[in-house]
């Protein structure tokens, strides 16, 4: 370092520290003064570290991650830190030594090294402190070393230049120490890039597959390099479940949900307190039932209601602030590009500028764009992770709410709506997080852009601003309109899904009655109205695309026009034009986003109720057996609901001592194994379990089921018969071993002898439950004498109570009720004749009232009682397995686990989406329209390029006398090109949207047709969730997502091609660079898509179970609450959500990984465009250069969009694949048109020859070798134990399942040769499971007929409804499938007499539970284990003393 003269000594900082610009800028070989190097360059890193250290230390103190043991890496860092400190001290001592030898040393040589030395000590201390707090890699330290090395590099260069130019004046000691210092810095920087080992006892050590993020180095974190391992795996082979990392602890439900719930409760309490203050007099009733409704109605701040929004803000606010910080930095960096572009154009215009300026600007541009990339991606990462946590929190909170929500609140929304709230709206919130920052960021961007534009063009910018301001209301109006259309479309969609749900739940009935076509038309009608709305939305969308694409152009046109025409001395040169264009491009985004974000805010709803039980006073003694009797609809189930606290209490109190077990009337079965259904989360105790199974008569069923008690039960128990489900439900209650048992008519769905068995072994005085308190709702008269107390209910009141003998003695309603029956029915009627429609009884009743009065079909939240889809059989239902009794254990093992599986999970497809899918979609649109759309895209981009090229020619026009001569012509052509662009945009937008609608209509119709024509086995295998998903989610994707993605994809593709073309024209040298970059781009994209596609699939496959479980929970809330199992279900739900997020998290990180890499490719293109432009500056006109770089600046965005859209397109086009998938499944046989006579069957003669059928290819025959001849007009009863194959026979008659052997002939015609529709519409069935909702039935006619048989419709329900249907459609063959099991005896009599009189000349087949109903039939067919056991008249069979005799004896008939 030069010796400093005496004068300089006096003012060491004054002279040399003011930068000498001639020395640094206007020179071909720039350098900085020594003084500047020794002060500013040394102080910058020191200042940085001292500024951040206090905050950083505080942060580390707060976030302790554990202790890291000393490692070689850490030792190396520490040693180098000390070495650096020693070097600095060596410098200081050397300066003192020099001073003592009389040399004049400026104070700076003492101050700077001292400062640097202390800073190095601080750095070393931080390295150790980080280790103790468990930091594996630190961004603060990496940045410190980076800043230090950058500053030192400048000095390094000067020192070398100085040594070369003036070797004599080199100070060897100081040079040596500096070079050592520089080397050490470099090593420190490299070490700082590495990551240390994980802390002791951290999650990562315990986990088998931890998320690598926490252990990744800082560099790896900001570039998302840490996910590369997973991506490589995904590229080599399709990813599977086991490849996914565990979730980070802070993302798990157990951490996230309680935070939101706590904040939400605080909100509610705040509101409650303020309510108490405002309304001292009229306080709300007891506990706040509003909470649940508020969450359901997703209310935003209304006075006096807790705000979910506030709760969310308080929970996730901190993350939000972090993301805002990143966003601000990014927004400011965005404007660096146009500024550097201005400097570059200036540089090209000024031929005297040194060449290094150009390279300096290029480097600066590259560094800025890279930093911008990293910051933006970090911002998105924070946003998406917060969004993910938000979704977890909302789903968890809604689930917890659903478990405590009152029935009154439940009634305001159907199961479908609540599931929707969970799936769709949680997703919406998640999307909102990413955009919500735009509320402040958009105005900031607009203000900055306007400021720079004003600098550039002066007041004429206001013209452009005016156009923009005009655009905002246009966009806002479009957004509002779109919103209303969306609501209308959602409504149609909800109706359609509701109807589809009913169709799928009642598909069996639909097939039995041959109603598929009627329902298909019904669904299609709703679908058409939905498509009409979609079409309107499409036209609006076209207008909005038009404004979005043309706004920047109109703004530019108006600004330039005003600028040029305002004053003829205003010259539009390249710098003004292209810098303005770059700024207008930045402006486009915020202006269009604002209205969108604002319209994303939400609205709400409320409700009222009526009484259904009143004046109830009852005390039930401990250990008593209480029977509750009454007619259908008298409020028996409601009484149990009230005891469970499920009814909304208006007054009075209910208290229960001890734990409660509840058996609902409609058995609620989970999609789990049979054993799990019975254990219901309790510990397995084998001996007790065996006792319970035996008492519930389940042993024979376990023999039959393919996997024993490990057989998987399908959704809603599809592969169990009604009776089996009911017995499993009873077994679950007994297994729990509670103090109080509430049994809602559990014996209605089982056969007489089974009912008797269960009563004796379980419920009765000698049963397993003796000594427990039992409340039994029943219709079985024979059980009443054994009850300790009987409650008689009429219309919601208890009219009488007492023991059997007391009540008989009173001669009241009860005695009357008994007498009626015992006379007609003798005493046999013991089997429980089942209850009435469970929980929401009052609602159903009122519905029925309403529907009868208004002659309209009734469909009130049937979902609550559609828990039985299947008839007696289904899926793997009953397949007698022939096992030798002595080898039961071996046999059990042999029941393969495969056979125990029933439902097929939604499979995740693997591999690329095939081109054929795109081709299918194009065909669905129509090829001419597809090709026309592509042509329009081409026109639009051509005219866009043309207008910008024209602008560059215009800016290069020579200036004569301070004016540009032919500017009017230039302006006119520029405007015309813009107009062409606008027209093309509008046309292609309409074309694509209309094409999309045509395609979705075609695809939905074919799918609907295909699904309805699928055989019954298909519905038993496929969970209804999957099917509904196809009709809801996938159809929605095809309706609204795919067309817009296609638009964006085509747009970005043409944009990228256009930009590359322009850059190539301007600087042909770029041709060397574009192919390798293109290859890199293509490779990165393919590499990414392989993993991303699979992650998306895994995510969507794991999403279904979340909703299936939620759905299941909603249907069984009363059971779950009665057993107190809420916590277990909450854990299960959280587990499923976490499982889903496990696949979602890598997919968002993969997006960031890709974005960083692609933006890097884009940044390289920008840098090379600038670099080659600088190199060719002598031959380039400023206009062309401006054009080239302003296009290059946008390339990054376009590339990003292109990959984003191509992967979105691939992901979403899968919807088309899934919808088409059902076209390839097996269909029911459609027979040739046979020429049946109009009245067939005329006599109703049925001949069954050697008939057998099986449920699935891989199962044994369910019934076999049945040969029966039934004459026309005969009445035949079919009896047998549950699962003997009674229903299977009827399924064969209706060809729900095709025959495996033999044939059935009706009136001499083999039914296998008929069309299914023809066959099913000519014979009638009253099925086992009523499904509530008929296509437009002639209710008037029905009422007349029914009234005619004086059945009071207002009291009885579903079974009677079916009878009425049967009357409406008079056919020669009538099949009754356990039709009378669930009505009371009085009604039963009416039904039987109706059948005897009305269907006198018809052949009637009755599958009977109560033998008394068929005692007067012509003949009885007895089935046993799928074989025909006996077939004769009842009297003969009784005489034979066979199976029938035993059953009759059990029923007390002989």
């Amino acid at each position: 370092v030069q010796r400093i003269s005496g004068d300089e000594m006096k003012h060491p900082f004054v002279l040399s520290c003011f930068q000498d610009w001639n020395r640094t800028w206007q020179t071909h070989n720039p350098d900085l003064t020594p003084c500047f190097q020794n002060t500013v360059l040394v102080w910058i890193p020191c200042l940085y570290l001292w500024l951040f250290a206090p905050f950083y230390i505080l942060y580390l103190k707060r976030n302790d991650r554990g202790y890291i043991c000393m490692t070689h890496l850490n030792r190396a860092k520490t040693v180098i830190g000390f070495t650096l400190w020693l070097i600095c001290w060596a410098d200081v001592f050397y300066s003192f030594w020099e001073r003592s030898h009389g040399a004049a040393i400026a104070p700076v040589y003492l101050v700077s090294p001292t400062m640097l030395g202390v800073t190095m000590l601080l750095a070393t201390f931080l390295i150790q402190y980080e280790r103790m707090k468990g930091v594996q890699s630190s961004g603060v330290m990496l940045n410190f070393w980076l800043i230090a090395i950058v500053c030192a590099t400048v000095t390094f260069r000067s020192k070398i230049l100085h040594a070369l130019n003036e070797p004599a004046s080199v100070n060897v000691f100081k040079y040596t120490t500096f070079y050592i210092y520089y080397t050490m810095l470099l090593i420190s920087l490299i070490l700082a890039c590495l990551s240390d080992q994980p802390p002791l006892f951290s999650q990562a050590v315990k986990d088998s597959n931890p998320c690598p993020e926490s252990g990744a180095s800082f560099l790896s974190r900001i570039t998302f390099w840490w996910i590369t391992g997973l991506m490589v795996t995904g590229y080599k082979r399709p990813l599977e479940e086991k490849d996914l990392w565990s979730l980070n602890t802070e993302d798990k439900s157990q951490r996230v949900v309680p935070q939101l719930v706590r904040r939400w409760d605080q909100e509610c309490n705040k509101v409650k307190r303020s309510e108490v203050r405002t309304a001292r007099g009229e306080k709300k009733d007891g506990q706040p039932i509003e909470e649940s409704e508020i969450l359901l109605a997703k209310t935003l701040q209304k006075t006096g209601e807790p705000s979910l929004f506030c709760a969310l803000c308080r929970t996730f606010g901190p993350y939000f602030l972090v993301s805002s910080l990143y966003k601000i930095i990014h927004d400011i960096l965005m404007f660096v590009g146009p500024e550097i572009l201005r400097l570059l154009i200036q540089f090209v215009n000024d031929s005297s500028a040194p060449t290094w300026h150009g390279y300096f600007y290029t480097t600066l541009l590259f560094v800025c764009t890279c930093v911008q990339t990293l910051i933006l991606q970090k911002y998105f990462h924070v946003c998406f992770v917060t969004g993910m946590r938000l979704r977890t929190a909302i789903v968890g909170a809604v689930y917890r709410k659903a478990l405590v929500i009152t029935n009154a609140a439940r009634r305001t929304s159907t199961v479908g709506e609540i599931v929707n709230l969970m799936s769709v709206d949680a997703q919406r919130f998640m999307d909102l997080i990413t955009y919500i920052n735009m509320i402040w960021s958009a105005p900031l961007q607009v203000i900055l852009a306007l400021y720079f534009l004003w600098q550039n063009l002066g007041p004429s910018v206001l013209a452009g601003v005016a156009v923009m301001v005009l655009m905002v209301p246009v966009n806002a109006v479009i957004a509002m309109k779109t919103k209303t259309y969306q609501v209308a479309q959602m409504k149609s969609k909800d109706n359609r899904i509701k109807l589809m749900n009913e169709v799928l739940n009642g598909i069996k009935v639909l097939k039995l009655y041959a109603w598929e076509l009627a329902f298909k038309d019904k669904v299609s009608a709703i679908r058409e109205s939905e498509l009409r709305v979609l079409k309107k939305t499409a036209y609006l969308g076209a207008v909005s695309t038009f404004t979005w694409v043309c706004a920047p152009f109109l703004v530019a046109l108006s600004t330039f026009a005003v600028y040029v025409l305002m004053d003829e001395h205003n010259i539009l040169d390249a710098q003004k034009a292209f810098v303005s264009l770059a700024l207008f491009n930045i402006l486009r985004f915020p202006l269009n986003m604002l209205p969108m974000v604002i319209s994303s805010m939400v609205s709400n709803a409320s409700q009222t109720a009526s009484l259904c039980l009143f004046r109830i006073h009852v005390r039930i003694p401990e250990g008593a057996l209480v029977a509750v009797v009454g007619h259908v609809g008298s409020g028996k189930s409601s009484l149990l609901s009230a005891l469970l606290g499920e009814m909304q209490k208006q007054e009075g109190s209910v208290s229960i001592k001890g734990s409660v077990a509840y058996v609902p009337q409609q058995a609620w079965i989970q999609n789990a194994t049979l054993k799990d259904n019975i254990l219901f989360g309790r510990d397995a105790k084998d001996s007790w379990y065996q006792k319970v199974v035996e008492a519930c008569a389940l042993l024979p069923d376990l023999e039959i089921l393919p996997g024993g008690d490990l057989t998987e039960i399908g959704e809603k128990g599809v592969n169990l018969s009604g009776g089996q489900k009911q017995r499993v439900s009873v077994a679950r209650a007994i297994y729990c071993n509670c103090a109080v048992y509430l049994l809602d008519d559990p014996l209605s769905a089982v056969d007489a002898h089974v009912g008797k068995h269960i009563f004796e072994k379980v419920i009765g005085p000698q049963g397993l439950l003796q000594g427990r308190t039992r409340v039994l709702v029943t219709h079985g008269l024979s059980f009443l004498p054994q009850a300790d107390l009987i409650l008689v209910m009429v219309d919601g009141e208890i009219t009488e109570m007492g023991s059997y003998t007391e009540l008989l003695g009173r001669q009241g309603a009860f005695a009357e009720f008994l007498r009626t029956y015992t006379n007609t029915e003798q005493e046999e009627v013991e089997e429980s004749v089942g209850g009435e429609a469970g929980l929401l009884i009052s609602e159903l009743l009122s519905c029925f009232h309403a529907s009868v009065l208004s002659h309209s079909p009734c469909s009130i939240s049937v979902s609550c009682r559609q828990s039985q889809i299947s008839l007696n059989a289904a899926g793997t239902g009953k397949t007698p397995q022939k096992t030798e009794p002595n080898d039961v254990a071996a046999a059990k093992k042999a029941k393969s686990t495969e056979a125990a599986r029933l439902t097929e999970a939604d499979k995740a497809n693997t591999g690329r989406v095939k081109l054929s899918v795109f081709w299918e979609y194009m065909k669905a649109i129509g090829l001419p329209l597809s090709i026309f759309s592509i042509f329009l895209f081409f026109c639009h981009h051509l005219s866009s390029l043309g207008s910008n090229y024209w602008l560059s020619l215009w800016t290069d026009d020579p200036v004569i006398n301070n004016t540009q001569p032919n500017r009017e012509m230039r302006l006119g052509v520029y405007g015309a090109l813009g107009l062409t662009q606008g027209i093309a945009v509008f046309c292609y937008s309409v074309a694509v949207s209309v094409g999309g609608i045509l395609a979705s209509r075609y695809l939905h119709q074919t799918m609907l047709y295909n699904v309805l024509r699928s055989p019954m086995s298909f519905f038993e295998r496929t969970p209804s969730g999957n099917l509904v998903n196809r009709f809801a989610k996938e159809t929605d994707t095809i309706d609204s997502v795919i067309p817009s993605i296609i638009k964006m994809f085509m747009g970005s593709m043409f944009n990228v091609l256009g930009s590359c073309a322009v850059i190539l024209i301007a600087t042909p040298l770029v041709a060397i660079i574009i192919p390798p970059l293109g290859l890199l781009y293509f490779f990165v994209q393919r590499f990414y898509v392989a993993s991303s596609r699979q992650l998306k699939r895994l995510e969507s496959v794991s999403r279904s179970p979340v909703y299936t479980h939620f759905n299941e929970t909603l249907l069984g809330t009363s059971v779950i609450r009665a057993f107190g199992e809420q916590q277990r279900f909450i854990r299960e739900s959280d587990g499923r959500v976490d499982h889903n997020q496990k696949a979602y998290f890598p997919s968002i990180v993969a997006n960031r990984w890709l974005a960083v890499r692609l933006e890097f490719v884009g940044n390289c293109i920008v840098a090379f465009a600038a670099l080659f432009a600088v190199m060719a500056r002598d031959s380039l006109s400023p206009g062309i250069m401006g054009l080239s770089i302003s296009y290059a600046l946008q390339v990054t965005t376009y590339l990003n969009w292109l990959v984003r859209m191509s992967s979105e397109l691939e992901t979403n086009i899968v919807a088309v694949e899934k919808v088409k998938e059902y076209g390839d499944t097996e269909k029911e046989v459609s027979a040739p048109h046979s020429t049946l006579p109009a009245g067939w069957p005329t006599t109703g003669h049925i001949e069954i020859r050697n008939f057998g059928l099986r449920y699935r290819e891989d199962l044994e025959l369910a019934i076999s070798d049945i040969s029966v001849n039934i004459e026309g007009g005969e009445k035949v009863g079919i009896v047998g134990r549950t699962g003997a194959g009674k229903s299977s026979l009827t399924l064969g008659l209706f060809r729900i399942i095709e025959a495996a052997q033999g044939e059935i002939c009706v009136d001499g015609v083999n039914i296998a040769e008929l069309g299914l529709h023809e066959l099913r519409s000519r014979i009638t069935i009253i099925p086992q499971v009523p499904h509530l909702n008929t296509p437009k039935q002639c209710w008037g006619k029905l009422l007349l007929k029914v009234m005619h048989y004086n059945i009071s419709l207002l009291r009885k329900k579903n079974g009677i409804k079916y009878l009425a249907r049967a009357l409406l459609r008079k056919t020669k063959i009538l099949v009754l499938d356990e039709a009378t099991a669930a009505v009371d005896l009085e009604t039963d009599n009416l039904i039987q007499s109706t059948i005897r009189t009305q269907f006198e000349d018809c052949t009637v087949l009755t599958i009977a539970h109560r033998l008394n109903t068929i005692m007067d039939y012509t003949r009885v067919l007895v089935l046993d284990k799928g074989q025909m056991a006996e077939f004769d008249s009842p009297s003969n069979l009784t005489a034979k003393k066979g199976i029938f005799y035993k059953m009759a004896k059990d029923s007390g008939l002989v």
Side-chain angles (χ1 to χ4, degrees), residues 93 117-118 148 196 211 216 266 298 315 462 469 490 594 708 742 852 856 959 984 1001 1007 1023 1235 1305 1380:
F93 289 132
V118 177
D196 217 332
C211 175
Q266 286 167 3
K298 12 173 237 304
T315 316
L462 294 174
V469 172
M490 283 300 277
L594 261 180
L742 304 179
V852 167
S856 66
V959 179
R1001 168 184 291 142
M1007 171 164 71
T1235 47
C1305 295
T1380 57

Side-chain angles (χ1 to χ4, degrees), residues 64-68 134 136 197-208 210-211 214-215 249:
D64 193 345
R65 300 204 189 118
Y67 177 89
I68 301 181
Q136 290 170 262
Q197 66 179 39
L200 292 172
F201 314 119
S202 75
Q203 201 51 44
V205 181
K206 286 180 277 187
D207 216 323
S208 55
C211 175
S214 53
T249 331

Side-chain angles (χ1 to χ4, degrees), residues 1255-1326:
Y1255 282 101
R1256 277 207 321 239
E1257 288 305 315
D1258 52 345
L1259 297 174
E1260 295 181 29
L1261 291 175
I1263 54 175
S1264 55
D1265 307 329
I1266 292 185
S1267 300
V1268 180
N1269 194 353
I1270 299 169
E1271 296 303 328
E1274 267 198 287
K1275 309 280 180 283
V1276 176
I1278 304 176
V1279 297
R1281 214 192 108 76
T1282 307
K1286 306 189 292 280
S1287 291
S1288 307
L1289 192 54
T1290 53
L1291 295 183
L1293 181 59
F1294 280 85
R1295 281 178 57 204
I1296 294 291
I1297 297 174
E1298 297 293 336
Q1301 58 175 55
E1303 59 183 19
I1304 298 181
C1305 295
V1306 174
D1307 281 3
V1309 180
N1310 184 350
I1311 60 168
E1313 289 161 11
L1314 298 179
L1316 287 173
H1317 195 270
E1318 217 165 13
L1319 167 69
R1320 290 172 189 166
S1321 58
R1322 308 262 184 124
I1323 49 184
T1324 308
I1325 184 166
I1326 299 179

Side-chain angles (χ1 to χ4, degrees), residues 681-710:
R682 303 288 197 279
D683 299 335
K685 301 194 210 74
D686 275 348
S687 56
W688 177 237
Y689 175 74
Q690 286 307 328
K691 258 191 207 156
V692 170
V693 171
E694 197 175 331
C696 293
L698 280 167
L699 286 177
D701 301 293
L702 296 184
E703 287 298 310
I704 293 172
L705 288 169
D709 62 2
L710 297 179

Side-chain angles (χ1 to χ4, degrees), residues 506-574:
I507 188 76
K508 190 154 234 165
V509 176
L510 244 68
K511 290 200 171 302
L512 292 171
Y513 280 91
W515 277 343
E516 297 102 326
L517 294 174
F519 271 95
K520 177 168 166 272
D521 298 341
K522 211 171 165 188
V523 174
S524 300
I526 299 180
R527 176 77 179 147
E528 280 309 309
S529 68
E530 196 181 340
L531 288 175
R532 277 198 293 280
V533 177
L534 267 177
K535 211 169 236 165
K536 289 182 194 163
T537 320
Y539 294 137
L540 270 183
V543 177
S544 94
T545 307
F546 174 74
T547 54
W548 157 258
V549 175
C550 293
F553 181 81
L554 285 175
V555 171
L557 180 65
S558 53
T559 309
F560 294 155
V562 170
Y563 181 72
V564 184
L565 300 175
M566 203 164 63
D567 178 355
E568 60 180 26
H569 292 302
N570 279 351
I571 292 162
L572 191 68
D573 59 8

Side-chain angles (χ1 to χ4, degrees), residues 162-402:
H162 180 233
L164 292 175
N165 298 336
E166 309 174 32
S169 63
V170 169
N171 179 333
V172 179
F173 180 81
K174 288 212 167 174
Y175 267 56
T176 315
T177 54
F178 180 77
Y179 290 145
I180 296 174
Y181 167 76
Y182 189 74
T183 319
M184 289 296 173
L185 277 184
L186 261 178
I187 297 171
S188 277
L189 180 68
I190 293 165
L191 291 180
C193 294
L194 305 174
S195 172
D196 217 332
Q197 66 179 39
L200 292 172
F201 314 119
S202 75
Q203 201 51 44
V205 181
K206 286 180 277 187
D207 216 323
S208 55
N209 191 4
C211 175
E213 182 182 15
S214 53
S217 68
F218 176 74
L219 268 184
S220 167
R221 280 222 288 281
I222 55 172
T223 56
F224 298 96
W225 184 259
W226 52 272
I227 191 186
T228 313
L230 189 72
M231 308 285 275
V232 172
T233 313
Y235 185 67
K236 289 184 187 153
R237 61 170 171 78
L239 288 172
E240 295 161 29
E241 193 83 13
K242 61 173 193 293
D243 302 319
L244 302 177
W245 317 303
S246 322
L247 267 188
N248 291 325
T249 331
E250 54 272 20
D251 296 335
K252 287 187 179 160
S253 298
Q254 67 208 47
R255 172 74 67 84
V256 178
V257 183
Q259 292 173 351
L260 177 64
V261 172
R262 195 169 66 245
R263 295 283 197 294
W264 170 248
D265 291 339
Q266 286 167 3
E267 282 294 315
C268 295
N269 293 335
K270 213 161 62 189
V271 171
K272 253 187 283 179
R273 281 199 297 276
S274 67
E275 269 177 12
V276 172
R277 279 200 296 275
T278 52
R280 279 283 172 203
E282 61 230 43
K283 224 168 35 168
K284 290 268 164 70
D285 166 39
Q287 83 233 63
I289 55 152
E290 316 88 54
E291 284 183 30
S292 40
E293 280 118 54
I294 288 162
L295 188 52
L296 283 177
K298 12 173 237 304
T299 328
L300 278 177
Q301 195 76 49
K302 263 177 52 182
T303 48
E305 288 187 344
S307 150
L308 178 59
F309 189 68
C310 287
L312 289 171
C313 287
R314 290 175 55 199
T315 316
F316 298 107
Y319 307 114
F320 183 71
L321 288 174
V322 171
S323 71
S324 306
L325 184 72
Y326 288 126
K327 188 84 177 109
I328 291 174
I329 300 174
H330 171 256
D331 284 354
I332 293 166
L333 281 175
M334 269 169 82
F335 292 93
V336 174
E339 275 307 292
I340 295 178
L341 173 63
R342 189 171 63 83
L343 293 169
L344 273 169
I345 295 176
Q346 210 172 305
F347 164 76
V348 171
N349 279 334
D350 174 13
S351 52
S352 67
T355 318
W356 70 269
H357 284 190
Y359 297 124
F360 175 67
Y361 291 144
T362 305
T363 314
L364 197 61
L365 186 62
F366 183 64
V367 171
C368 278
T369 46
C370 285
V371 172
Q372 191 182 335
T373 294
L374 293 177
I375 291 210
L376 180 65
Q377 297 318 321
K378 192 70 194 155
Y379 160 72
F380 274 134
H381 184 61
V382 173
C383 276
F384 276 112
V385 170
T386 309
M388 177 176 103
R389 287 178 190 166
L390 182 91
R391 178 174 160 232
T392 301
I394 288 183
V395 170
V398 170
Y399 187 85
R400 284 159 174 73
K401 221 52 178 178

